[in-house]
């Protein structure tokens, strides 16, 4: 039997860290990240503001590619599918697919600091990579 476990939380809450640790301990599990299927992160600030002004309805985010992938992954052999998501069951398309939802609740200032630290590490790593390519 297949199970979909949603790991939910805001940006910087620790979803990725939790999933890295879980997936390293559970052989054969599948990890999907909503960000890989949700074009919302590519929207401009003005587009996000307009969405918010319209009422901020989550079903405006088309997650049909993610739903298709979840359906494909759960149709096969027994497995656990971990879904890293900001929305989880709050999104109407994901709601019927999630068997268990875990919400990571982190204070906003801590989540923000974690995200800034992550982005800083990524930028430094990219600069080092670019510098070594130039050598």
């Amino acid at each position: 039997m297949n199970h979909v476990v949603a790991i939910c939380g805001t940006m910087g809450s620790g979803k990725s860290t939790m999933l890295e640790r879980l997936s390293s301990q559970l052989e054969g599990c599948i990890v999907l990240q909503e960000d890989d299927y949700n074009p919302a992160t590519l929207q401009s600030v003005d587009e996000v503001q307009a969405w918010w002004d319209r009422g901020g309805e989550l079903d405006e985010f088309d997650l049909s590619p993610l739903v298709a992938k979840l359906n494909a992954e759960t149709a096969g052999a027994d497995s656990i599918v971990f879904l890293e998501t900001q929305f989880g069951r709050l999104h109407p398309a994901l709601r019927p697919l999630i068997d268990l939802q875990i919400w990571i609740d982190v204070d906003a200032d801590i989540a923000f600091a974690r995200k800034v630290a992550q982005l800083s590490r990524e930028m430094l790593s990219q600069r080092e990579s670019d510098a070594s390519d130039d050598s």
Side-chain angles (χ1 to χ4, degrees), residues 12-79:
S13 64
K15 299 181 304 287
S16 296
T17 301
M18 177 182 273
L19 280 173
E20 285 172 17
R21 292 182 181 161
L22 278 172
S23 64
S24 72
Q25 300 297 312
L26 296 170
E27 192 172 311
C29 70
I30 299 161
V31 176
L32 299 176
Q33 297 175 323
E34 180 185 300
D35 288 348
D36 294 340
Y37 299 88
N38 186 351
T41 57
L42 303 175
Q43 292 183 335
S44 70
V45 172
D46 289 338
E47 289 170 319
V48 172
Q49 184 64 53
W51 167 76
W52 186 258
D53 291 344
R54 287 191 305 275
E57 295 295 329
L58 294 180
D59 60 355
E60 284 191 42
F61 296 113
D62 178 16
L63 297 182
S64 55
L66 175 58
V67 168
K69 183 69 172 172
L70 279 167
N71 284 325
E73 293 295 354
T74 57
D78 289 350
S79 62

